[in-house]
Amino acid sequence: MGSVHSNETLLCVSDDRLLTQKMKCKVHPDQDSGVLCCQQCEAPVCMKCISTERHHGHSFVAASEMVVSMRDKCHEEIAKIKDTIIPNCRLVVQELGKNQDTSKHLLSQVRTTMTSKIRKMKDILDDILSNNMKELTDIEHVLMHEYQDEVHKMNEHLARLQEVLDEFEKKGQHMESGDLMSIYNRIQKLKEIPSLKLHHDHPTFQEGSGQMDAETLEALFGKLTVPKYLKNSMQKIHPNKPKLAMRIQKVKAIHVPDIDRCRHISCMKSNKTWVGDELGNLVEIDPKGNELHKIKTHHFRQQPTGFHAVTLEDELLFIDQYDDSISKLLSGRKKKTLIKFKEWTPISIHVSHSSDDLLVGMVDDTQQKAKVVRYDASGKELKTYEFHEDSKKRLYNRPHYLSENINGDIVVSDWEKQVVVAVGMTGNHRFDYDAEGGHPPGTIFEPSGICTDILGNILVCDNNDHLDDSVHMLDKDGRFLCLLLRLPSSSLERRIRALGVDDSCNLWIGDVDTNEIRVYKYLE
C-alpha cells in the first residue's frame, strides 16, 4: 500500500512540475518565469516584473506551491458546488415548477371569478328584465280588457240609439201621443253619452342615473389589474399586429396518405397537426407531412365533422360515438374518458384558447334538438346555449363545426340551418350570417369548417355544389369582409371542408376529394 501511495505522490509532483514549466509571465512571455507566482495577482511572474510598480508590496511564492494551493481551492469550491449549489439550484427549479403551477391555478381562478361575476350580473339583469316583462304583459292584459269593456259599452249605447231611430222612422207618422212621449223620453236619456275612461295611465321606464359606458360597468363588474412589468412583456408578444396580405399565397401542400376525405384540422403549438377524415381516422403529422401517430374513432350516428381539438398543452381531445364520449389522448397512446353523454350525441368540439374551457356541439337522440354546452377542463358543465334569449326559437339545427373568437363569442357553422350562428359567452344572440354580401342573391349558403384568427376575423368554408367553393372572411360582428379564397369549380383544389389557423397565422385547408392539405399565408 505504501508503494502505491508513493507512486501516486510521485505522479502528482511530476504533474505539478510539468505545469510549473509551462507557466509563463504574461508581460514578458519570452522570459523564463522561474518558479515564482505573485500571490496577490495569482499569476506567474518573471524576474523583471518582481521589482516593477505593478507588484509593489506583493508577496511571491514558488509556482509549485501556488499550483498546489489553487488545486486545493478548486477542490473546496467543487465540493461546495456538489454539496450545496447544485442541490440548491435543483430546489429552485422545483420551486419554479410549483410557482408555475400556482400561477396557472391563480389565473384560472381569476378567469372563473370574472366569468362567474358576469354570469351573476347577467342572471340578475335577466331576472329584472323577465319580471318587468311579465308585469308589462299583465298591465297590457288589464288595459286591453278595460278598453274592450269601454268599447262594448259604447257599442251597446250605439245599438240602443239606432234602435230608437229605426223605430221612429218606421212608426213615427202613425204613433199616438203616448208612444211618442215614450220615444221622446228614451231619446232624452240616450242623448247623454256614457261616461267612459278614454285615457289610461301607463307605466314608464325610468332609466337609472348610471352611465351605460365601460367605466361605469367596470366599476360594478370589477377591474383586472395587471402589474406593469407584465404589461411590458405582453406588448412583446404581438408588437405589430398582422394585417391582411394583398394577395393570399400558397405556402405548401402536404400529402397525407392515411386520410380519406379530410373533414377537420387541429393545429398545435408544436407545429404538429391532427387531421381527421370522414371515416373517423385521426392522423398526427409533422410540418413536412410525415405521419407520427394514427388512431381510429367511430361515428355511426352522425358523420364526422369538427370531431377533434387540442388543449393549450397540445393534448388531443376527440369524440367517439361508439359510447358518445369525449376522450383525451394520453402518452403511450392511451385514452382517458372526460365526458360521457346520455340521450345526446356530441358532433363537434373546441377548446377555448383563453380559458381552456371545452365547447361541445351536440344533437339529441331524436334528431330534433341541438345545443352547445360549455364545460371546464375537468368536465364540469358551466353553460348551455340552446335558445334565443328573447324567444323559444332554437339557435341550432346541427352545430357541425364551432370555434371561439377573441371577444368570447362562440361561432357555429350550421350546415343544415345554412347560417353561421354567434352567441356571446353569457348566451346573448349576437348574429346569424347567411352569406349576405358574400353570395349571389337567391343561392344557398352551405357553411362547413370554421375558425377564427388573431385579429378576431371569422373564416368559414362555403360548399354550395352549384358555386365555386370559397372561404368567407367576416369581422367579429358577422359582417362580410371578403372572399379570402375562391376555388373555381374547374379547379382540382375545390372541395374543401376543413379549416385551421396555426400560430404563424397560416390558413390550413383540407381537400375532401383528395388526401391533400394545403397551407396558405394570408396575413403579413
Side-chain angles (χ1 to χ4, degrees), residues 93-260:
V93 170
Q94 291 177 5
E95 188 67 20
L96 286 171
K98 291 179 182 178
N99 291 344
Q100 184 179 2
D101 292 339
T102 301
S103 294
K104 188 174 181 180
H105 177 68
L106 290 174
L107 290 172
S108 178
Q109 284 185 324
V110 171
R111 289 191 185 98
T112 301
T113 301
M114 288 195 303
T115 304
S116 176
K117 182 68 178 293
I118 199 69
R119 284 174 180 154
K120 286 179 181 177
M121 291 178 67
K122 181 183 178 299
D123 289 342
I124 293 171
L125 291 173
D126 284 344
D127 288 341
I128 292 173
L129 180 61
S130 177
N131 291 335
N132 286 345
M133 287 297 186
K134 183 178 181 303
E135 196 163 1
L136 282 172
T137 301
D138 293 342
I139 290 169
E140 183 178 18
H141 177 77
V142 169
L143 287 176
M144 295 306 102
H145 183 72
E146 289 184 357
Y147 278 121
Q148 288 172 3
D149 284 347
E150 301 298 322
V151 169
H152 181 69
K153 290 178 183 178
M154 184 54 68
N155 285 334
E156 284 186 338
H157 186 71
L158 286 170
R160 287 193 291 269
L161 283 171
Q162 191 63 46
E163 184 182 342
V164 170
L165 291 174
D166 292 344
E167 185 178 349
F168 183 77
E169 288 178 0
K170 183 178 180 180
K171 303 178 181 179
Q173 299 298 326
H174 308 287
M175 281 186 177
E176 297 180 357
S177 59
D179 293 331
L180 288 171
M181 183 62 67
S182 175
I183 284 183
Y184 178 79
N185 289 335
R186 285 164 63 191
I187 290 173
Q188 294 303 312
K189 289 180 181 179
L190 293 172
K191 281 171 57 179
E192 295 181 11
I193 297 176
S195 178
L196 300 177
K197 191 174 183 179
L198 300 178
H199 302 286
H200 293 74
D201 294 331
H202 291 81
T204 59
F205 178 67
Q206 184 177 355
E207 295 191 30
S209 58
Q211 297 291 325
M212 287 296 290
D213 54 34
E215 291 184 3
T216 305
L217 293 176
E218 195 175 60
L220 292 172
F221 169 66
K223 186 175 182 179
L224 183 66
T225 303
V226 182
K228 187 175 180 181
Y229 86 93
L230 280 178
K231 284 187 177 180
N232 295 334
S233 299
M234 288 159 59
Q235 290 174 354
K236 296 176 184 177
I237 298 176
H238 304 296
N240 297 309
K241 281 191 174 183
K243 61 181 180 180
L244 189 64
M246 294 294 292
R247 186 172 66 89
I248 187 169
Q249 295 181 343
K250 184 192 288 188
V251 177
K252 60 183 175 181
I254 301 171
H255 185 71
V256 189
D258 283 348
I259 288 296
D260 185 6

Side-chain angles (χ1 to χ4, degrees), residues 404-410 424-425 430 456 476-477:
E404 185 182 64
N405 211 344
I406 58 173
N407 62 352
D409 282 356
I410 301 165
M425 182 181 290
R430 292 271 286 115
K476 60 182 176 60
D477 297 313

Side-chain angles (χ1 to χ4, degrees), residues 306-318:
F307 68 102
H308 55 90
V310 291
T311 68
L312 300 184
E313 289 77 30
D314 274 357
E315 297 170 309
L316 175 69
L317 303 181
F318 60 91

Side-chain angles (χ1 to χ4, degrees), residues 352-386:
S352 167
H353 288 266
S354 62
S355 64
D356 214 17
D357 288 347
L358 176 62
L359 297 167
V360 184
M362 59 188 81
V363 294
D364 75 331
D365 291 345
T366 68
Q367 306 291 307
Q368 301 299 314
K369 301 176 183 178
K371 62 183 179 180
V372 172
V373 181
R374 179 185 289 272
Y375 300 88
D376 67 13
S378 67
K380 178 184 177 183
E381 185 174 328
L382 300 176
K383 178 75 177 176
T384 297
Y385 310 91
E386 190 171 3

Side-chain angles (χ1 to χ4, degrees), residues 58 119 149 198 272 290 345 422 436 510:
H58 291 185
R119 284 174 180 154
D149 284 347
L198 300 178
K272 300 173 187 176
N290 299 314
T345 299
E436 182 179 356

Side-chain angles (χ1 to χ4, degrees), residues 377-469:
S378 67
K380 178 184 177 183
E381 185 174 328
L382 300 176
K383 178 75 177 176
T384 297
Y385 310 91
E386 190 171 3
F387 297 100
H388 286 264
E389 287 186 314
D390 54 351
S391 70
K392 292 297 182 181
K393 183 180 177 183
R394 303 198 70 87
L395 286 167
Y396 316 108
N397 288 353
R398 291 287 187 280
H400 296 293
Y401 295 88
L402 56 86
S403 183
E404 185 182 64
N405 211 344
I406 58 173
N407 62 352
D409 282 356
I410 301 165
V411 289
V412 170
S413 176
D414 194 323
W415 196 335
E416 187 169 307
K417 199 174 182 180
Q418 298 174 354
V419 294
V420 171
V421 183
V423 297
M425 182 181 290
T426 58
N428 55 305
H429 179 246
R430 292 271 286 115
F431 63 82
D432 284 352
Y433 172 73
D434 59 1
E436 182 179 356
H439 234 252
T443 55
I444 297 174
F445 180 42
E446 296 183 359
S448 54
I450 193 168
C451 59
T452 61
D453 64 20
I454 192 174
L455 301 178
N457 297 316
I458 301 167
L459 311 178
V460 58
C461 284
D462 180 15
N463 304 125
N464 189 309
D465 288 336
H466 305 291
L467 299 171
D468 298 339
D469 274 18

